[in-house]
Amino acid sequence: MKQIAAVFTKDARRFWPEIAVSVLLLAVFVMVYPVTWQHNSMVAETFAGRFSMGEGGRGFLAACLVVLVPVSWLVLIARVVHCERLVGDTQFWLTRPYEWPKLLAAKALFLGAFLYLPFLLAQCGLLMEAGFNPTGYALGLGLNLVLVTVILILPAIALSSLTRGFARLMLVLLGFVVILVVVNVIASYLPRVGNGGAPELISGEIGFFVLLIGCSMAVWIMYAMRRLRMGWIVLGGSLLLLLGMSWADPDRAVMERFFPANRSAAAQVIEMSYAAEGLRQPIVRDTRDKDELEVSIPVSSSVLQPDLAVVPQAQRVTIEEPDGTRWRSPWQRYDRAAFLPGSNVSSISFILPRRIYEQWKGASTGLNVEFALISAKQTMQRTIALPEGDFTVDGFGICTPWSWYAKRREYSAITCRSAMRQPLLTYVTAPWADDSCSKPNDEKGGKMMATAWAGNLDMAPAQMGITSVWSPQLNFSNAWNIHAGAPARPRILCSGSPVSFTQFRLQERMTVQMKVENFRFPEIMSAEQMAATD
Amino acid sequence: MSFAILTRSLTKRFGNTAALDGVGIEVPQGAIYALVGPNGAGKTTLIKVLMNIFGPSSGIAEVQGLDSRRIRGKAFQRIGYVSENQEMPDWMTVGDLLRYYRSFYPDWDTELESQLVRQFDLPLDRKLKHLSRGVRVKAALASSLAYRPTVIVLDEPFSGLDPLVRDELIEGLLDRAEETTIFLSSHDLAEIESFSSHVGFLENGRLLFQEEMASLAGRFREVTVTLEGHVSVPREIPVAWLQAEAADSVVRFVDSRYEPEKTKREVAGAFPGAREVSIDPMTLRSIFLAIAKNGRGRLASRAEMESQKGVSA
């Protein structure tokens, strides 16, 4: 303990400027970030998030801090690890009675005190600022720390322990970026059907554990044995595995297991059928990739149970000729909105290689479309008379009506914030008013409903983020009142209007099949035909 | 006999290059052992293997009976190490450094620390990065002596130091020589001659010989024989006579196995008409030059066998 305390104190004295900068950035982040909750901003919530330059200085600063805070952590980690450098043979500490578990413990204590503790306090501060009580989110806060550790901190420690100094570390990071770019460029030239692939099923967990085990082993190898080559082999191998995984797409391999077919329960949830009639006919059109075509097929779906939603995840198409010749596409991501009771699917689209189209064009084929679906059970429904200020929706978050212009009791949108993660999949509806809210109810319009989906079906108590407060986007449909010959006008939400939040929870994964006998691919639609159709 | 440092057939390879090739060193407890050799001989590599900074490719290396591969952590509480090219926490003051190290050594002697600070005239409030090379080495030595190590290993400690600082360091070392074994490397023979008890000569990764200093100095003599008229070196001379050369009426050689009576007998036998024979002791530098010039390979095996006896004795 004496040794741990000595190393910790030494590091704290040595790196107080780096600590001060890191804590200061985090403090500014806590002060500035709430600006992004004020309306439907597109400010980044994660590194892969979105940036907006149009929110003035504070919004831009918040977006910068989302990057700067982790960069300051990287500097802090690199400096404290390189202080007792593990690479080389001339370091003073190698011939002193340092015990590696204590050295590692001292470094962990340092990060605990000057990285994790400020980060945890910042997360709690943001929650409180957003109106959430942090004590109610202990599990989520803990999980976010674990995720940040595995995805950011541990790789930074591993890379620092394998490099001589900060400059070398930066070069290595640059090298990784170059490798990623090269791999992506190469991958873009390799033939693949469709984009997106299967929905994430196991790749996230595998990637998490590969990163956790690979980085932990590299750190252990360096601290316990100082075997540089072995450390690089382990870390490099882990990164290669991650790169290989993104190419091999392990989720496709387990689709059948996660989305079982032919279950009686599945058949009752939803049925899809081919519905070509009159003007509703299959369409084939070009895509940006000259080797691929997009095929749209008119379909209809059966009526859902009242408390269910069905969320399409992916689809796979099999084309079969009477002589037994067949072609099957890989699973392709399905990006349309969820189905609700009362809604009816009108068409589906899939990507087809041009050579397959040319092969079967004009022939009578059997078409089999498999839909990987998730049925989600309704777990909560709240209807709230839209207030003028903040209102809490249990299980969803805290929302605020918002307007582009200052007019009492009339709003353009609803902004929301949720704690530690995006909320569970939620369907939000509210009646639009075409005109002023001050008019009597029967003159406001109000026939058109504003609808929006927000959240996801993930059940984890937290998503990885520098922020602990997320902003679910309620992008309401039918937001503009469009009449021929008149300028489009934005619709409004009136104070006191009923706003419904219906939340769903994953119930079952399933595959539903749709078979079309004697299907014939039509001619590729020309640009003129497409323009006329649009 | 127990050895403070022992290596047997120690080999260290970097790729295809053998930095150490079958080195066998025996450093008795309490010795001041100087490992000498030209630059690139493998001295630093040997020391780094002993300190477990490098692992051996094959062979055995032990310090105080502990396999060098297990020397880490607490083992360094009784081993001191000072190197010419060792990095130090430059941002610390000398006082910070000594205070920091205290917590690592249960046997840290604060009184001895104060004594060393006074003896080496160390500026406690100055940062290491602002110190001259000599003062840095003194600070490193003080921080390696204050816990009374049983073995202290110094890699070229005097390299590039002015004579005054060198003498201060040697004095500081000798003050603690009774309670510790000192193993140091150097490429400068003159600087270790005055205080070493044992010497080993390493070249191209091979130990050419090792011996007690007194024994080495005792068995090497420069012999000058003056004869009548012009002479040449006889064809048959004892193998222990090195660098034999003749000029006019004088023959000179180095006797590497000097014994007064035996040498006189051999000289009389080889030069029956000798007018004058002078036998002079040699400096360590002259001895090493004689060995080097005589063809190291031939001498190595024989000298090593003799030195084994010498050290064991």
Side-chain angles (χ1 to χ4, degrees):
Chain A
M1 196 61 204
K2 206 173 169 186
Q3 191 175 118
I4 295 172
V7 176
F8 172 79
T9 311
K10 182 256 305 173
D11 287 342
R13 279 188 55 205
R14 172 83 179 94
F15 299 116
W16 70 264
E18 286 86 348
I19 295 167
V21 169
S22 174
V23 172
L24 184 69
L25 284 174
L26 208 52
V28 175
F29 176 72
V30 173
M31 286 188 280
V32 167
Y33 195 77
V35 74
T36 64
W37 307 333
Q38 287 174 6
H39 55 88
N40 282 334
S41 72
M42 300 291 275
V43 172
E45 287 177 314
T46 61
F47 312 102
R50 303 140 299 193
F51 292 87
S52 169
M53 302 283 281
E55 301 176 13
R58 288 181 69 191
F60 177 66
L61 183 60
C64 291
L65 285 166
V66 170
V67 177
L68 284 177
V69 167
V71 169
S72 76
W73 291 349
L74 177 67
V75 173
L76 195 61
I77 290 166
R79 296 282 285 145
V80 78
V81 171
H82 289 149
C83 194
E84 270 89 10
R85 188 158 55 83
L86 297 152
V87 181
D89 54 26
T90 55
Q91 305 91 301
F92 74 95
W93 68 274
L94 294 179
T95 49
R96 297 286 174 178
Y98 277 80
E99 292 168 63
W100 77 264
K102 290 181 181 173
L103 177 62
L104 194 56
K107 302 298 174 189
L109 185 63
F110 179 91
L111 294 181
F114 303 118
L115 192 155
Y116 283 102
L117 186 61
F119 178 51
L120 187 63
L121 292 175
Q123 299 250 297
C124 291
L126 280 173
L127 284 176
M128 288 165 72
E129 179 66 25
F132 299 103
N133 182 357
T135 54
Y137 299 95
L139 200 60
L141 287 166
L143 179 63
N144 194 29
L145 288 186
V146 172
L147 294 171
V148 166
T149 300
V150 174
I151 294 163
L152 290 180
I153 309 293
L154 211 46
I157 296 173
L159 283 174
S160 301
S161 66
L162 287 163
T163 48
R164 282 178 173 273
F166 192 71
R168 192 67 67 92
L169 173 66
M170 287 291 107
L171 275 177
V172 170
L173 285 175
L174 193 66
F176 283 142
V177 171
V178 170
I179 290 171
L180 275 178
V181 169
V182 169
V183 167
N184 272 320
V185 168
I186 292 171
S188 70
Y189 283 102
L190 296 174
R192 287 187 86 163
V193 177
N195 46 19
E200 188 184 306
L201 297 168
I202 55 167
S203 55
E205 282 80 358
I206 293 176
F208 179 86
F209 284 109
V210 167
L211 211 53
L212 173 65
I213 293 168
C215 292
S216 303
M217 276 187 70
V219 171
W220 178 75
I221 286 167
M222 289 309 289
Y223 271 87
M225 297 186 277
R226 293 200 309 112
R227 296 277 183 85
L228 184 62
R229 191 178 299 175
M230 197 193 290
W232 272 120
I233 288 171
V234 168
L235 190 68
S238 306
L239 294 176
L240 277 178
L241 208 59
L242 288 176
L243 275 177
M245 230 174 61
S246 69
W247 171 243
D249 198 356
D251 296 318
R252 284 189 182 182
V254 294
M255 277 296 287
E256 276 82 1
R257 184 191 289 188
F258 275 79
F259 292 90
N262 300 325
R263 287 173 64 165
S264 54
Q268 292 166 7
V269 173
I270 191 167
E271 281 176 11
M272 309 283 279
S273 53
Y274 185 56
E277 55 181 11
L279 291 174
R280 296 182 66 211
Q281 293 297 328
I283 296 170
V284 179
R285 65 181 88 182
D286 289 311
T287 65
R288 275 183 291 182
D289 186 336
K290 64 179 172 49
D291 295 327
E292 291 182 343
L293 297 168
E294 184 186 326
V295 181
S296 293
I297 297 174
V299 295
S300 66
S301 60
S302 62
V303 176
L304 288 173
Q305 290 172 25
D307 59 347
L308 275 187
V310 170
V311 187
Q313 298 286 297
Q315 61 196 3
R316 182 167 67 176
V317 180
T318 307
I319 304 167
E320 200 164 8
E321 276 203 273
D323 64 1
T325 316
R326 68 198 296 244
W327 175 83
R328 175 183 268 186
S329 77
W331 285 102
Q332 300 178 24
R333 194 73 62 90
Y334 190 113
D335 291 326
R336 302 262 173 112
F339 310 150
L340 281 169
S343 68
N344 191 14
V345 187
S346 59
S347 69
I348 57 147
S349 300
F350 59 89
I351 301 295
L352 184 72
R354 189 180 288 271
R355 60 181 175 79
I356 299 296
Y357 170 79
E358 296 295 346
Q359 184 181 335
W360 272 307
K361 177 178 67 171
S364 175
T365 62
L367 189 69
N368 184 15
V369 184
E370 296 163 274
F371 297 93
L373 305 171
I374 290 178
S375 69
K377 183 96 175 159
Q378 179 183 318
T379 54
M380 176 275 279
Q381 185 169 37
R382 301 262 185 288
T383 301
I384 295 165
L386 187 65
E388 290 183 49
D390 284 359
F391 60 100
T392 301
V393 184
D394 292 338
F396 185 83
I398 297 170
C399 298
T400 312
W402 180 85
S403 178
W404 287 105
Y405 51 93
K407 199 161 185 182
R408 228 168 104 74
R409 298 169 60 82
E410 291 183 5
Y411 305 103
S412 318
I414 298 174
T415 67
C416 296
R417 46 201 188 271
S418 59
M420 301 314 304
R421 49 161 291 160
Q422 290 282 358
L424 276 176
L425 188 67
T426 306
Y427 186 63
V428 185
T429 60
W432 283 120
D434 289 336
D435 213 332
S436 169
C437 290
S438 57
K439 287 188 176 177
N441 279 346
D442 55 346
E443 294 177 30
K444 284 180 194 170
K447 290 172 189 168
M448 197 61 82
M449 290 299 284
T451 64
W453 283 99
N456 55 51
L457 288 166
D458 187 6
M459 297 295 288
Q463 285 173 270
M464 203 278 276
I466 302 301
T467 176
S468 53
V469 179
W470 293 68
S471 309
Q473 301 291 311
L474 296 184
N475 297 319
F476 284 125
S477 60
N478 309 314
W480 291 87
N481 186 4
I482 303 167
H483 286 293
R489 293 175 58 194
R491 291 197 169 101
I492 51 176
L493 297 166
C494 297
S495 175
S497 298
V499 185
S500 287
F501 292 81
T502 310
Q503 203 157 68
F504 296 90
R505 192 175 288 255
L506 188 149
Q507 184 187 45
E508 189 182 16
R509 291 188 176 93
M510 71 197 84
T511 298
V512 170
Q513 297 204 16
M514 181 187 82
K515 286 190 177 171
V516 185
E517 304 292 339
N518 302 318
F519 180 80
R520 284 177 193 276
F521 286 103
E523 289 297 321
I524 300 171
M525 190 178 264
S526 65
E528 294 78 27
Q529 287 173 309
M530 278 171 64
T533 307
D534 291 341
Chain B
M1 183 175 185
S2 72
F3 297 101
I5 294 172
L6 175 76
T7 70
R8 292 243 188 276
S9 307
L10 182 64
T11 299
K12 175 63 188 175
R13 291 185 169 278
F14 294 102
N16 290 325
T17 309
L20 296 175
D21 188 3
V23 174
I25 275 183
E26 291 174 348
V27 181
Q29 298 284 359
I32 302 178
Y33 188 112
L35 182 69
V36 294
N39 289 330
K43 301 185 297 293
T44 298
T45 303
L46 174 59
I47 285 177
K48 286 187 171 174
V49 170
L50 291 173
M51 295 295 98
N52 193 23
I53 295 172
F54 296 151
S57 302
S58 64
I60 292 168
E62 291 177 359
V63 178
Q64 295 292 35
L66 187 64
D67 189 322
S68 68
R69 285 166 295 194
R70 299 180 64 190
I71 295 176
R72 62 168 77 95
K74 284 183 177 167
F76 280 110
Q77 286 175 347
R78 53 197 185 104
I79 298 171
Y81 171 76
V82 175
S83 167
E84 63 161 343
N85 55 10
Q86 190 176 26
E87 292 167 16
M88 292 176 80
D90 280 348
W91 57 277
M92 283 190 188
T93 64
V94 176
D96 289 339
L97 182 78
L98 295 173
R99 267 191 301 278
Y100 178 58
Y101 282 155
R102 266 180 223 160
S103 52
F104 287 81
Y105 298 95
D107 295 331
W108 188 274
D109 186 338
T110 45
E111 209 167 291
L112 176 59
E113 176 198 321
S114 307
Q115 191 186 324
L116 288 162
V117 167
R118 280 195 303 276
Q119 183 176 357
F120 291 146
D121 195 20
L122 292 173
L124 290 175
D125 56 346
R126 287 188 63 190
K127 288 190 174 174
L128 291 167
K129 65 182 170 191
H130 296 141
L131 299 180
S132 67
R133 182 174 148 63
V135 184
R136 278 167 64 94
V137 174
K138 284 197 286 185
L141 186 61
S143 71
S144 296
L145 290 174
Y147 52 93
R148 300 183 186 281
T150 56
V151 174
I152 180 155
V153 177
L154 303 108
D155 186 9
E156 301 274 2
F158 311 122
S159 175
L161 299 184
D162 66 58
L164 193 67
V165 175
R166 197 173 63 198
D167 287 351
E168 274 186 86
L169 287 172
I170 292 171
E171 199 179 321
L173 274 174
L174 292 179
D175 286 349
R176 274 99 213 155
E178 281 182 8
E179 59 191 32
T180 187
T181 302
I182 298 168
F183 182 84
L184 77 162
S185 71
S186 177
H187 61 270
D188 188 343
L189 301 168
E191 71 186 12
I192 55 104
E193 186 174 8
S194 60
F195 65 93
S196 300
S197 64
H198 292 72
V199 65
F201 188 76
L202 196 65
E203 190 180 64
N204 291 330
R206 299 177 69 91
L207 187 72
L208 296 190
F209 72 89
Q210 61 181 336
E211 194 165 350
E212 260 187 82
M213 201 67 128
S215 154
L216 187 70
R219 75 182 175 86
F220 274 82
R221 286 292 183 276
E222 189 176 48
V223 179
T224 310
V225 183
T226 310
L227 297 117
E228 296 289 345
H230 185 82
V231 294
S232 58
V233 178
R235 281 187 181 175
E236 295 288 325
I237 57 170
V239 287
W241 291 5
L242 315 177
Q243 282 189 281
E245 54 184 19
D248 295 333
S249 59
V250 177
V251 175
R252 281 198 188 87
F253 62 90
V254 172
D255 187 358
S256 63
R257 276 190 288 182
Y258 171 71
E259 286 173 31
E261 291 308 316
K262 180 171 147 282
T263 301
K264 275 180 194 169
R265 256 197 330 273
E266 285 174 346
V267 169
F271 307 103
R275 191 151 51 91
E276 189 184 340
V277 177
S278 109
I279 300 173
D280 300 308
M282 296 172 70
T283 62
L284 193 56
R285 179 181 164 76
S286 308
I287 294 170
F288 275 78
L289 282 174
I291 295 167
K293 285 179 182 171
N294 195 62
R296 287 136 174 157
R298 189 163 61 84
L299 184 68
S301 55
R302 192 178 67 242
E304 196 162 3
M305 280 170 61
E306 286 174 359
S307 67
Q308 298 289 350
K309 289 180 204 163
V311 171
S312 302

